[in-house]
Amino acid sequence: MSHRSLNLLIRKTYRFAILLGVLHLLHAPNCFAKDSEEPPRKIPRYTVSGYLRGQNGENLLGATVKVEGAGLGTASNTYGYYALTLDSGTHVLSVQYLGYMTIQQTITLVASKQINFTLQETSIQAAEVVVLGRREDANVTQGRMSVSEVDIKQVKSLPALMGEADILKTIQLLPGIKNGGEGTTGFYVRGGGPDQNLILLDEAVVYNASHLFGFFSVFNADALANSQIIKGGMPAEYGGRISSVLDLSMREGNNQKFVTQGGLGLIASRFTTEGPLKQGKASYILSGRRTYLDVLVDPLIPEDATAKGSGYYFYDLNAKINWQPSPKDRLYASAYLGKDVFNFNNRENGFQFDIPWGNTTATLRWNRILGPRVFVNHSLIYSDFNFGTGFKQNDFQLRLNSGVRNVTLKQDFDIHLSTGHRLKAGSQWIRHWFLPSVVQGRTGEFDIQTNNIPRLNAIEWAAYLRDEWDINEQWQINAGLRFAMFQQYGPYSYERYKDLSLVERLDSVGFAPGRKVVFYPGWEPRFNLRYLINKQSSFKVGITRNLQFIHLASSSGTSLPADLWIPSTLKVKPQIGIQYAVGYFRNFASNTFETSVELYYKDLRNQIDFREGAINGFNPLIENDLVFGRGEAYGAEFLLKKAKGALSGWIGYTLSWTNRNFPDIMNGKTYPYKFDRRHDLSVVASWIRSPRWKFSGTFVLSTGNAYTLPESRYFFEGQIIDQIGDRNSFRLPNYHRLDFSAVYTPRPERSNPPTMVSGSEPSLGRRSRYLGEWVFAVYNIYSRLNPFFIYLDNEGSLQQNSLKVQAKQVSLFPIIPSITWNFKF
């Protein structure tokens, strides 16, 4: 079957799925009407709905409410809300969430009612310990595929570089997700680039998720509640990226009591405070993190030292408040501020150098229950990333700034048509501002004039509809359609050249402020199908088409703060990603073991890269330094996970190929992508030895990155000239590393079992007032010197005929032990 015929078949499948959903919707009852106003039935039906929360008052995402003996059930949404429509009469509801004690409650439905449930965490002494906070059989039963959830508690217990728990390094241990290099937080999903991952923190886009040039992420684990990574089968409510979604939610704060927690590590300290503003109705959380090596080292440097005043630090600040003014309404306000500051001073020659960069996000949300089966959320979101670098020597100054900023308005509806049939619909409007590169300089009393590109402006709008429908016990459709539009408007100027040498200019065009430059509309269909073979196994198929209107111009091969974000323009077209995936999923031993095999193929179009010889950031008309091409990625992912018991963890293996083809690079010859790794293996294990001791370990093994090196050298007029080989035609040595951690809790947490009173929420057991733990970790136990990069070095003399050229390896991290003290009271 040709590629064109395959695309035609896919379009027809989408149209059929959408038509099927519309027909079903037309026959569905009016969701906004009260249940008592529905047409008469032989057996009246009513809706039980409400919120599922933990004992600290925070909402539980993905918790399940089942009807015992009826085979019916539903899961809570992002805000912990659930709705279940049942026949009138008596039912036994079972509320379950892994890591929490199950609640069973008998209800009698004679009218629709709202019932909230509060679940208590399973104590560490319990025999059943779990990895993920979701329903036990979700691996098999959920309609979406290529979705992974990582428990924040497990993130904190796994060994980490210098003891800093990191969600980004944890997801790199999952199949299909590759790291950007030794110790870095950059990640690449199924052959995609770093800019093709949509990273969200409370719905706000985080444009650069790294500290210390990529070695630590900006996410403080103490402030996070949930994390979800979507590698394929992206739901219609997500857009703007073509590779993956990392959706992170901040904690809401304890609305029952005041809690303080924190930690002291080798390079950073953390402090978090939370508590009720009004008990049971409103709460807050405030969490901060800062490195302190600069504070500790500066007093040790002599005042007359040449580099006195040099240093580096980063900090994060998370804040969130929420308020429930009525049973139907809830308000949230959250914010994040993070910054890196690097300074270098050389007093001897008067040289000063600084690099500050950072992210700022803010989110305002309003939830409202419009009816027992209709939930709506309104969001106002702000995101900002800025980067700067400055040089100063005597009377010469030079500064470069770049950044990206956006404001978003969103509205999302969650509609429970009936048990087993749920709609999601919504729209969003985004206003973009781009500052690709601004250079300012001064020498003495004179300003240095530079041809800076003006700020670029754009608007993005999208609307979507997603239908999640259990046709019967075996078949489930999760189909959606998203329509997106992107418009760039002036001021804007564009120059056309004869070729990539940028010597002979053909013409130029300019657009006045507010004038439309270009308009890109596009459809993004999404389709997932699940067939439940039996209660232990299922088969899934997923096809998605995604558009990406903003791009990261990077020549480094990994995401750095100096990389430039640019919009789609006359020359830069929107990226298109089409992914096909199939998978087989099976659980064993009462869902203790989960296994899966997924095959995928990804077609990447309108990919961008720098032309050969371009210098990132120093051409004000950056589009002239870019070239465009295509890519493809395909492979197989295998996962074996033990989700319950004192010993838990997973083994993940990926076999993959990732290639790129640019007509203006290597004369159109296809070459491997920098992060094309044929084999990638991860082993993760955690063992709870006793209430006082928990041990964890990770092992990773992967093919080395593709690399470009000179394939020969020759001498011309007394100089050594490199003959560069094909792009990424060399391989770095294989990467492997073993890490280990032990968590010691001197005073284990104790809790009494909850008590249940029919028709009410459970009373919670008492807990110890003070909790503390020590985390001992060793990174790279056998001190493997993994390559960070390789360079060629000359030794000897050409005149003495003793010149030798040697390839030398640079490695960053040998064995690194760490110790962290965490406290909570």
Side-chain angles (χ1 to χ4, degrees):
M1 181 182 292
S2 68
H3 187 74
R4 185 176 181 181
S5 300
L6 182 60
N7 283 334
L8 181 62
L9 177 62
I10 293 169
R11 286 196 294 268
K12 289 182 178 180
T13 303
Y14 283 133
R15 291 170 183 168
F16 172 75
I18 294 168
L19 177 62
L20 198 63
V22 170
L23 291 175
H24 193 91
L25 178 61
L26 292 174
H27 289 85
N30 183 359
C31 300
F32 291 87
K34 296 181 180 179
D35 294 276
S36 58
E37 297 175 356
E38 292 182 354
R41 300 172 181 266
K42 293 182 179 180
I43 302 178
R45 295 173 63 82
Y46 303 104
T47 299
V48 55
S49 60
Y51 288 93
L52 307 180
R53 302 187 177 99
Q55 69 265 31
N56 59 2
E58 296 203 25
N59 297 324
L60 299 179
L61 179 155
T64 59
V65 181
K66 293 183 178 181
V67 181
E68 290 294 321
L72 302 175
T74 189
S76 58
N77 66 9
T78 304
Y79 302 96
Y81 184 77
Y82 77 95
L84 193 60
T85 302
L86 304 170
D87 293 338
S88 63
T90 300
H91 305 274
V92 178
L93 300 183
S94 178
V95 184
Q96 300 176 349
Y97 194 58
L98 285 185
Y100 288 75
M101 296 182 181
T102 299
I103 293 178
Q104 287 192 342
Q105 182 169 331
T106 302
I107 64 170
T108 301
L109 278 182
V110 294
S112 293
K113 62 172 61 178
Q114 181 171 334
I115 302 177
N116 301 326
F117 291 94
T118 300
L119 282 71
Q120 186 184 21
E121 291 184 67
T122 305
S123 66
I124 199 169
Q125 293 96 330
E128 187 117 314
V129 182
V130 297
V131 176
L132 299 177
R134 55 171 172 79
R135 58 182 294 176
E136 289 186 341
D137 57 354
N139 177 57
V140 172
T141 59
Q142 68 178 2
R144 292 185 294 155
M145 62 185 305
S146 308
V147 179
S148 299
E149 298 171 7
V150 180
D151 186 19
I152 302 301
K153 292 181 180 179
Q154 188 176 35
V155 172
K156 293 181 178 181
S157 67
L158 291 179
L161 177 62
M162 298 185 184
E164 285 299 302
D166 198 324
I167 179 65
L168 295 190
K169 288 191 176 69
T170 303
I171 66 171
Q172 292 171 6
L173 300 171
L174 297 170
I177 304 177
K178 297 174 170 50
N179 62 46
E182 172 71 81
T184 63
T185 58
F187 64 99
Y188 300 78
V189 180
R190 290 183 172 177
D195 64 321
Q196 296 170 359
N197 303 314
L198 179 62
I199 303 177
L200 300 174
L201 179 63
D202 272 2
E203 298 190 80
V205 176
V206 178
Y207 286 99
N208 188 290
S210 65
H211 285 306
L212 193 56
F213 302 99
F215 293 111
F216 301 98
S217 82
V218 301
F219 303 114
N220 179 0
D222 288 348
L224 297 179
N226 304 298
S227 65
Q228 178 179 248
I229 177 75
I230 304 172
K231 300 178 294 183
M234 192 181 298
E237 57 263 35
Y238 295 106
R241 301 294 188 274
I242 64 173
S243 190
S244 73
V245 177
L246 176 60
D247 196 350
L248 303 171
S249 299
M250 287 173 53
R251 295 182 52 224
E252 299 168 9
N254 196 314
N255 66 12
Q256 300 296 319
K257 63 179 181 178
F258 292 97
V259 177
T260 299
Q261 64 176 318
L264 297 175
L266 287 181
I267 66 167
S269 60
R270 298 166 283 109
F271 183 82
T272 301
T273 178
E274 59 183 303
L277 296 172
K278 183 178 181 181
Q279 191 159 4
K281 296 292 184 180
S283 62
Y284 77 92
I285 182 171
L286 182 65
S287 184
R289 177 178 62 161
R290 190 193 190 280
T291 56
Y292 41 66
L293 285 179
D294 59 319
V295 179
L296 298 178
V297 172
D298 187 68
L300 304 178
I301 301 177
E303 291 295 330
D304 58 350
T306 301
K308 182 67 174 181
S310 302
Y312 168 82
Y313 67 90
F314 70 76
Y315 66 84
D316 301 299
L317 181 65
N318 297 77
K320 188 171 185 177
I321 60 173
N322 70 91
W323 175 43
Q324 186 179 354
S326 74
K328 292 187 176 182
D329 298 275
R330 194 152 191 180
L331 303 174
Y332 300 85
S334 59
Y336 166 80
L337 174 64
K339 194 169 185 178
D340 290 65
V341 178
F342 173 73
N343 297 295
F344 176 76
N345 295 327
N346 189 319
R347 294 185 176 184
E348 185 174 337
N349 56 22
F351 177 76
Q352 296 180 4
F353 173 68
D354 70 285
I355 308 179
W357 74 91
N359 296 276
T360 303
T361 71
T363 306
L364 296 175
R365 287 179 288 184
W366 171 33
N367 300 162
R368 181 167 177 80
I369 302 173
L370 297 182
R373 289 180 279 167
V374 181
F375 181 94
V376 64
N377 178 70
H378 310 270
S379 301
L380 172 62
I381 307 162
Y382 171 83
S383 295
D384 175 83
F385 170 71
N386 62 82
F387 167 81
T389 180
F391 307 87
K392 182 179 180 181
Q393 188 168 23
N394 301 324
D395 61 349
F396 174 76
Q397 300 179 36
L398 184 68
R399 185 154 205 90
L400 183 146
N401 293 287
S402 65
V404 58
R405 178 184 303 167
N406 69 263
V407 174
T408 303
L409 292 173
K410 283 186 67 209
Q411 187 177 51
D412 301 280
F413 290 88
D414 198 343
I415 306 171
H416 299 260
L417 294 175
S418 62
T419 300
H421 196 182
R422 179 174 168 183
L423 284 181
K424 289 203 71 171
S427 63
Q428 66 176 16
W429 176 90
I430 308 174
R431 171 70 160 86
H432 295 284
W433 293 271
F434 300 87
L435 191 68
S437 181
V438 174
V439 180
Q440 299 172 320
R442 185 178 181 85
T443 177
E445 298 180 356
F446 302 96
D447 292 331
I448 300 175
Q449 299 296 323
T450 59
N451 185 23
N452 288 320
I453 189 171
R455 184 176 66 184
L456 302 179
N457 305 281
I459 290 177
E460 183 177 348
W461 179 87
Y464 73 89
L465 174 67
R466 178 164 71 93
D467 188 357
E468 185 177 340
W469 182 17
D470 291 325
I471 301 175
N472 53 40
E473 289 188 5
Q474 283 75 41
W475 294 95
Q476 184 190 89
I477 289 179
N478 195 322
L481 185 64
R482 183 183 181 92
F483 180 71
M485 299 182 295
F486 185 88
Q487 177 175 304
Q488 183 201 3
Y489 58 92
Y492 172 72
S493 60
Y494 171 59
E495 296 180 349
R496 289 197 309 139
Y497 289 83
K498 184 177 180 179
D499 53 41
L500 290 177
S501 65
L502 305 183
V503 175
E504 184 178 346
R505 190 174 71 173
L506 299 178
D507 58 20
S508 63
V509 62
F511 294 84
R515 182 184 172 189
K516 184 181 79 172
V517 177
V518 68
F519 176 71
Y520 292 112
W523 293 95
E524 300 178 76
R526 320 283 173 81
F527 181 80
N528 289 275
L529 178 68
R530 183 221 68 197
Y531 174 69
L532 195 64
I533 301 172
N534 51 47
K535 291 183 178 181
Q536 290 78 39
S537 60
S538 64
F539 177 78
K540 303 177 187 180
V541 177
I543 308 173
T544 60
R545 184 179 192 268
N546 294 61
L547 299 175
Q548 181 168 331
F549 299 107
I550 68 174
H551 321 271
L552 186 67
S554 173
S555 59
S556 62
T558 186
S559 180
L560 294 175
D563 296 335
L564 306 177
W565 286 94
I566 58 175
S568 295
T569 63
L570 282 172
K571 186 176 182 180
V572 183
K573 308 299 182 184
Q575 297 182 58
I576 302 174
I578 304 174
Q579 183 173 173
Y580 314 91
V582 296
Y584 176 73
F585 303 80
R586 182 174 176 83
N587 289 2
F588 297 91
S590 301
N591 299 309
T592 298
F593 294 94
E594 301 178 2
T595 63
S596 65
V597 179
E598 295 188 43
L599 309 178
Y600 68 89
Y601 176 82
K602 185 183 289 186
D603 181 9
L604 303 170
R605 305 175 185 177
N606 300 334
Q607 302 299 284
I608 70 171
D609 202 344
F610 277 99
R611 64 179 176 87
E612 295 176 321
I615 302 177
N616 185 0
F618 287 91
N619 186 348
L621 298 178
I622 190 174
E623 295 169 78
N624 293 321
D625 280 338
L626 301 177
V627 293
F628 308 93
R630 300 186 64 164
E632 67 171 0
Y634 52 93
E637 299 170 0
F638 304 85
L639 180 66
L640 169 62
K641 178 188 298 180
K642 187 173 186 292
K644 297 189 293 184
L647 177 64
S648 60
W650 67 84
I651 300 174
Y653 170 71
T654 305
L655 175 67
S656 62
W657 290 260
T658 305
N659 300 310
R660 295 291 188 269
N661 182 284
F662 287 76
D664 296 311
I665 296 178
M666 292 173 48
N667 297 317
K669 181 180 178 181
T670 298
Y671 60 91
Y673 187 45
K674 178 178 176 64
F675 298 99
D676 169 51
R677 297 180 189 156
R678 195 70 61 245
H679 307 283
D680 197 278
L681 173 70
S682 299
V683 180
V684 179
S686 294
W687 178 42
I688 298 180
R689 173 65 179 82
S690 69
R692 295 181 183 273
W693 284 101
K694 180 178 182 180
F695 301 96
S696 298
T698 61
F699 174 75
V700 292
L701 170 65
S702 65
T703 304
N705 287 343
Y707 209 69
T708 304
L709 284 174
E711 60 182 9
S712 63
R713 282 185 161 184
Y714 61 90
F715 304 101
F716 180 75
E717 296 182 352
Q719 294 184 346
I720 301 175
I721 307 299
D722 290 331
Q723 182 66 42
I724 303 298
D726 288 346
R727 180 172 288 204
N728 297 335
S729 56
F730 293 87
R731 286 279 177 182
L732 293 179
N734 291 340
Y735 181 99
H736 53 88
R737 191 188 76 245
L738 176 65
D739 307 327
F740 174 80
S741 70
V743 180
Y744 173 64
T745 307
R747 300 172 60 185
E749 184 174 12
R750 297 178 179 179
S751 62
N752 298 322
T755 58
M756 277 296 303
V757 179
S758 179
S760 65
E761 297 181 352
S763 61
L764 304 180
R766 296 181 179 179
R767 296 180 178 272
S768 303
R769 181 170 179 81
Y770 166 77
L771 296 171
E773 64 180 20
W774 292 90
V775 182
F776 307 93
V778 181
Y779 181 89
N780 198 1
I781 286 180
Y782 50 84
S783 200
R784 159 75 174 180
L785 295 180
N786 288 298
F788 189 63
F789 65 86
I790 290 178
Y791 69 98
L792 297 182
D793 187 33
N794 300 326
E795 294 183 355
S797 171
L798 178 62
Q799 288 75 16
Q800 298 178 3
N801 199 28
S802 61
L803 181 65
K804 294 182 179 180
V805 180
Q806 290 186 337
K808 294 189 175 181
Q809 174 180 305
V810 175
S811 301
L812 292 182
F813 302 116
I815 181 172
I816 300 178
S818 65
I819 181 171
T820 303
W821 174 56
N822 297 321
F823 60 87
K824 182 178 181 180
F825 57 86

